[in-house]
Amino acid sequence: FTLGGYLKRHHADPMPSETLVIITDSDDMAYGLLASAGPQPRGLIVTCPGAGGGPGPADPRGNGGGGTYGGYMVFAKLARVLPQRGISVLLLHYPNGCPDALQPDGTSTKESVARTAEHLKALACWYVESVQLPALPVAFVGWSMGGPVVIEAAAGLLGQLKIASVATIAAKFLLVHEESPNKLVHAGVPLLLMHNSPGLASERLAQLAGGNLRPKLFPGENHGVESAFDVLKHWLP
C-alpha cells in the first residue's frame, strides 16, 4: 500500500479537524480519517467501526454515517481529546457507508472482517512509517464487527509494529481465528472486552484469550455501550 492522497476537512462538530487519508495498491483502497497530534506523537489509536450503521461524516448524529465515529460518538470523542495528549487517532472510514466487502456482491461477513483487517493494518503501518517512529505504541479499538477486525489486525502486526493494547466494544461476531486473542495475551498486549450484557461473543472471546480474562460489562446499556468512552479515555495510553 502507498499513500494515495490527503483531503483536509473541517468540522466544528464532532471533531475540530480531520484529514482524509487514502491508501491504495493495485486493486484495493483503504480510507481513514486522521486526527493528528503533530509531527512527534507519543502514540497512535486506530479505530474500526462495525458493519456500517452509526454516526459518521455523512450523518454525524444519526445512523446513516457508516459508523466511522462509533457508537455514541466514542471514536469522534477520542479523536477530539487524545491529540491534546500527544496521541494521534486514525479512524477507519467507509466512504460508501459500509465495508466494500458487504456491498451486495455475495461477499460474506467473514470475508469482510478479513479484508477490513488488512485495511486497518495498512493504515496503521502507513502512519508509523509517515512519522518515522518505528517504535511508536499503537492501540486498536473496534466496535461491533470492528471488534474481531481489530483483534485480527493487531495479532497480524505483532513483531511488525509495537502493539500497545486492543479494546473491543460490543464485539458482535465470532469471526476471529481462534489463536488470535491468545496470541495477543501471550505477547503481553492488554486486551479489554467491553459489552453491554453477558453473551456468547464476549464470553467466547475471553475464553479464546486464555480463560483468565473477564469482559467488562455494562448492564442496561445498548449495543452502542455509552460508557465505553469514559473507560477508554483512562485506559488507553
Side-chain angles (χ1 to χ4, degrees):
F1 285 87
T2 56
L3 175 64
Y6 288 105
L7 173 64
K8 190 71 174 180
R9 305 178 63 165
H10 296 276
H11 294 286
D13 179 22
M15 296 194 298
S17 67
E18 58 197 35
T19 300
L20 177 63
V21 178
I22 306 172
I23 311 294
T24 66
D25 71 359
S26 59
D27 57 2
D28 205 356
M29 301 183 76
Y31 298 83
L33 299 181
L34 174 64
S36 176
Q40 292 292 317
R42 65 180 185 88
L44 171 69
I45 310 297
V46 187
T47 69
C48 184
D59 188 5
R61 294 294 179 183
N63 198 45
T68 303
Y69 293 154
Y72 290 99
M73 307 287 286
V74 59
F75 300 154
K77 292 174 182 176
L78 292 174
R80 186 173 61 228
V81 171
L82 293 185
Q84 300 173 31
R85 291 162 44 184
I87 301 171
S88 293
V89 181
L90 184 53
L91 297 80
L92 183 77
H93 176 54
Y94 302 143
N96 297 321
C98 72
D100 287 344
L102 282 183
Q103 300 291 342
D105 61 358
T107 306
S108 70
T109 304
K110 186 173 183 179
E111 291 171 316
S112 180
V113 167
R115 184 176 177 186
T116 306
E118 291 301 314
H119 289 177
L120 210 65
K121 289 161 63 178
L123 288 166
C125 288
W126 164 77
Y127 181 84
V128 171
E129 292 172 4
S130 73
V131 295
Q132 299 182 348
L133 295 170
L136 186 73
V138 180
F140 292 87
V141 185
W143 171 45
S144 191
M145 192 195 81
V149 170
V150 296
I151 289 174
E152 287 299 310
L157 288 171
L158 288 172
Q160 185 174 351
L161 298 183
K162 182 179 180 181
I163 308 301
S165 56
V166 178
T168 67
I169 305 169
K172 193 172 182 180
F173 303 110
L174 296 175
L175 297 170
V176 297
H177 290 102
E178 291 195 358
E179 70 275 11
S180 294
N182 203 17
K183 188 183 295 185
L184 291 171
V185 172
H186 277 204
V189 177
L191 180 59
L192 173 63
L193 307 175
M194 291 177 285
H195 215 278
N196 55 310
S197 63
L200 180 61
S202 58
E203 293 172 2
R204 181 59 176 151
L205 283 173
Q207 291 171 358
L208 292 176
N212 295 321
L213 189 66
R214 294 290 178 268
K216 189 173 184 63
L217 302 177
F218 301 91
E221 297 196 12
N222 61 24
H223 187 61
V225 190
E226 188 173 8
S227 298
F229 172 69
D230 287 333
V231 175
L232 289 168
K233 71 180 180 181
H234 298 295
W235 185 79
L236 290 167

